[in-house]
Amino acid sequence: MRPKTEALIVIDVQNDFCPGGALAVAGGDEIIPRVNALMGDFAAKVLTQDWHPADHASFAANHPGAAPFSLIDMPYGPQVLWPSHCIQGTHGAAFHKDLSTDPADLVIRKGFRAAIDSYSAFFENDHKTPTGLEGYLRTRGVADLTLVGLATDFCVAYSAIDAAKLGFTVTVLEGACRAIDLDGSLAAARDKMRAAGVRLGA
Ligand code: VGL
Ligand code: ZN
């Protein structure tokens, strides 16, 4: 068992990010046995859940004429328009059936505000509006984070970079992550994580 100052953060292991889902990440379900095993090593375990209303601004379907995976400008910066995914209460938004959810101490939902996307477990995409996760971890005395889940180049990377900026020590175990890799987004995310001081492990 790892020391009590360490937490495992499991990002978005949901049906829509697994094969057959609305925004399927190749091999997304392959990470589940390893993630389940890791949960046994950590005292503090947090799951995140992407949780959008159907009218969410990140969905291409809510921008007439816009193609999925195109970019638009939002007040907070450029935003990829995604296929509709992880709609609150749907099967796609549920955790994959093989993920052990019972050991988790906290499930934090994100992306529930229609006008703003939220990749990071810590802040909305405006980089200002907090989710509350920082306070939860600090009040539990957690200082060191291990991140795993989906997708490496979006929600995992954004969460890792925000956590490093907040002063946590952060390790991303890439073997327990899978990427969307849209137009070089994986290489860019790895560079940005390294620049932010995130340790990339296997
Ligand atoms: C994610 C795109 C949109 C993710 C969530 O979990 O990485 N990516 N919503
Ligand atoms: Zn999303």
Side-chain angles (χ1 to χ4, degrees):
M1 183 68 89
R2 308 250 197 150
K4 283 196 172 81
T5 52
E6 293 197 27
L8 179 70
I9 315 285
V10 180
I11 305 288
D12 299 358
V13 182
Q14 295 167 256
N15 290 319
D16 272 342
F17 298 124
C18 290
L23 179 43
V25 180
D29 55 344
E30 294 167 6
I31 67 171
I32 294 172
R34 174 120 184 256
V35 172
N36 288 344
L38 280 165
M39 280 203 265
D41 293 343
F42 288 82
K45 302 160 279 269
V46 175
L47 308 181
T48 72
Q49 195 172 22
D50 209 39
W51 195 249
H52 299 305
D55 64 347
H56 198 258
S58 78
F59 295 170
N62 294 324
H63 300 265
F69 305 106
S70 62
L71 269 176
I72 55 157
D73 282 313
M74 296 286 269
Y76 54 83
Q79 167 75 50
V80 179
L81 291 179
W82 301 107
S84 300
H85 64 278
C86 296
I87 296 174
Q88 296 168 0
T90 63
H91 174 76
F95 290 114
H96 190 283
K97 64 171 175 34
D98 296 335
L99 180 72
S100 318
T101 56
D102 288 349
D105 305 323
L106 176 75
V107 175
I108 186 141
R109 289 174 169 167
K110 60 187 180 62
F112 50 76
R113 293 183 178 87
I116 184 164
D117 209 358
S118 184
Y119 295 148
S120 165
F122 293 91
F123 293 99
E124 308 279 321
N125 282 9
D126 63 1
H127 301 292
K128 287 191 193 80
T129 310
T131 62
L133 180 58
E134 179 194 2
Y136 176 84
L137 294 170
R138 289 208 196 284
T139 52
R140 280 193 67 172
V142 169
D144 310 303
L145 306 181
T146 297
L147 271 69
V148 297
L150 308 171
T152 322
D153 41 347
F154 288 92
C155 290
V156 175
Y158 273 65
S159 300
I161 291 165
D162 279 348
K165 284 184 185 158
L166 289 169
F168 293 96
T169 60
V170 186
T171 303
V172 169
L173 296 179
E174 291 189 283
C177 298
R178 291 292 184 275
I180 295 174
D181 204 10
L182 184 64
D183 299 327
S185 58
L186 178 57
R190 296 181 87 223
D191 287 347
K192 282 189 197 151
M193 286 194 279
R194 282 205 196 90
V198 174
R199 193 180 148 252
L200 300 180

